Amino acid sequence: MRFLLISAVAAVVAATGPSASAEPRGPYSISGSCGGLPKVALHTAPGLCVGLVATGLKFPRGVLPLKDGTVLVAEMIGWGAKSGRVTALVPDGKGRYAKKPLLKGLKQPHGLALGPDGKIYIGVVGGVKRFDRTDPEKTVEDVIGGKTTVKGPPGDGRHPLVSLIFTRHRTLLVNVGSVSDNCEHANGDPPQADQICPETRAPAGHGLVREYEFDWSTGKAKGWTVFAEGLRNSLALAEFPGSGLILQVENARDNINDVMPELENDEALPPDEINVLEPGGRYGWPYCYGANIPSPEYLHWNCTGYHPPLIPLPAHAAPIGMAYWNGGLAVGYHGYRKAGHRIVWFPIDGDGKPENQPKELVFDWENPDGAPTDIKAGSDGALYVTEDHNGTVLRLVAE
């Protein structure tokens, strides 16, 4: 399956630069209209444009477009904050969206998902909550962690945010990010080279994806198992509807040059990754990186038997949003380094497995720098994008 919105003649991505007559709208310049919304003056692949849905959001992360046109957004507010909220962006039919607060007082809300029961599920540090959007404040309840008997993710360390997706088996996959960068001690000392990394040990291990099962007759979570391990931080997960293939994008370690003095910096290593997740799969963190290469802290570790990445991505691209869209896989590169600030599209095969032939959908995203967080496909065929650096929600469509 190939890129449907861009003709074969335009296979090489070209820039459509900002118009000289563009006018500022919030952090961005606006030039004309895109799908009935103000057109953001960004560089896009031919045949595409970016519309401005909303500005003035505070650290927006998860996004969830609903069938009635409403777009839900998880506003994290800031790191360490316990004042996060869920906001509904309600279209008025005239190219504008009204902000409607739904929930507040949440601890760093991140992932958003529509459950099999029709309720909205929101990942917060340490657990998962859900609510009925008809009356969020009265229906909000803990599903995992909090006041339930089912333990949630530990919610500690460098990577406490909760991403989540429901599978076709009506189970819930939940990210449990690592405490550390690469299993270093709290004082910065390296780990013991011949020992299992302590933070990965059960029962409250880190650097993995949990699978929670539910009793849907009552709607209660029953418990969890480890779905896959050796994954430093799985902030984006996706399932291909046809085959049930599960994809994960891995935010690989930083500062590898601190333990590889021959490197001038860590700009090129290690690669971030797209992985195919299999139940019981082991993916190597913190012992191995890239194509099963021993980490410098674990030079004598046997890396055979771990799943290598399906596709290596640029180092520090920081992919934290991913969605099947327009016959392929769209991935948002959030990173603040040169590899970030863009949305990239990969063609897929019939099972939903991406091929390493990336095309840039939004690129040279500068002045202001773009930092895409979550991305989701809407029932209207558009790709909805939260962008936390400038506090916006954007909509990518065909011109």
Side-chain angles (χ1 to χ4, degrees), residues 276-325:
V276 175
L277 294 194
E278 297 180 1
R282 301 165 68 220
Y283 293 82
W285 182 88
Y287 317 108
C288 313
Y289 69 89
N292 287 352
I293 300 168
S295 298
E297 298 93 337
Y298 297 96
L299 284 177
H300 302 294
W301 200 271
N302 182 3
C303 292
T304 60
Y306 294 126
H307 290 276
L310 175 66
I311 296 176
L313 300 177
H316 314 295
I320 62 175
M322 173 172 61
Y324 284 103
W325 180 71

Side-chain angles (χ1 to χ4, degrees), residues 168-191:
R168 63 179 180 171
H169 301 297
R170 295 160 66 97
T171 61
L172 186 67
L173 299 183
V174 172
N175 172 48
V176 183
S178 68
V179 171
S180 63
D181 184 16
N182 206 68
C183 200
E184 70 280 1
H185 295 283
N187 64 1
D189 289 345

Side-chain angles (χ1 to χ4, degrees), residues 140-153:
V140 64
E141 60 179 340
D142 292 320
V143 181
I144 294 165
K147 297 179 180 179
T148 73
T149 58
V150 179
K151 289 186 177 180

Side-chain angles (χ1 to χ4, degrees), residues 61-272:
R61 285 289 175 132
V63 67
L64 183 62
L66 302 176
K67 288 184 177 181
D68 66 358
T70 299
V71 180
L72 303 186
V73 181
E75 295 184 77
M76 200 170 85
I77 306 300
W79 289 102
K82 298 180 181 179
S83 55
R85 61 198 180 204
V86 177
T87 300
L89 305 176
V90 183
D92 65 1
K94 300 177 182 179
R96 295 181 181 276
Y97 286 76
K99 294 177 186 174
K100 179 182 178 182
L102 299 184
L103 287 178
K104 58 184 180 180
L106 302 175
K107 188 175 182 179
Q108 297 174 74
H110 184 76
L112 276 170
L114 181 64
D117 52 2
K119 295 182 179 181
I120 308 300
Y121 287 69
I122 175 75
V124 296
V125 169
V128 176
K129 297 177 181 287
R130 70 178 167 205
F131 62 90
D132 190 322
R133 60 176 291 220
T134 60
D135 196 346
E137 291 188 355
K138 288 187 178 180
T139 60
V140 64
E141 60 179 340
D142 292 320
V143 181
I144 294 165
K147 297 179 180 179
T148 73
T149 58
V150 179
K151 289 186 177 180
D156 55 353
R158 287 176 66 123
H159 305 114
L161 301 182
V162 172
S163 293
L164 46 84
I165 61 166
F166 279 99
T167 73
R168 63 179 180 171
H169 301 297
R170 295 160 66 97
T171 61
L172 186 67
L173 299 183
V174 172
N175 172 48
V176 183
S178 68
V179 171
S180 63
D181 184 16
N182 206 68
C183 200
E184 70 280 1
H185 295 283
N187 64 1
D189 289 345
Q192 291 182 265
D194 59 347
Q195 299 294 316
I196 295 292
C197 177
E199 69 179 81
T200 66
R201 293 183 181 276
H206 294 72
L208 51 83
V209 172
R210 292 181 179 182
E211 182 173 31
Y212 286 85
E213 292 190 355
F214 286 74
D215 176 357
W216 287 110
S217 66
T218 62
K220 302 294 184 183
K222 297 193 297 184
W224 60 273
T225 56
V226 174
F227 185 80
E229 62 183 75
L231 300 163
R232 178 175 175 271
N233 197 22
S234 305
L235 283 184
L237 299 162
E239 181 186 55
F240 188 63
S243 64
L245 181 84
I246 303 292
L247 295 181
Q248 178 259 10
V249 288
E250 175 76 334
N251 284 250
R253 66 176 296 171
D254 297 316
N255 306 314
I256 197 170
N257 56 309
D258 287 350
V259 285
M260 295 180 70
E262 67 273 21
L263 295 180
E264 183 178 346
N265 55 52
D266 69 342
E267 286 296 324
L269 283 178
D272 289 342

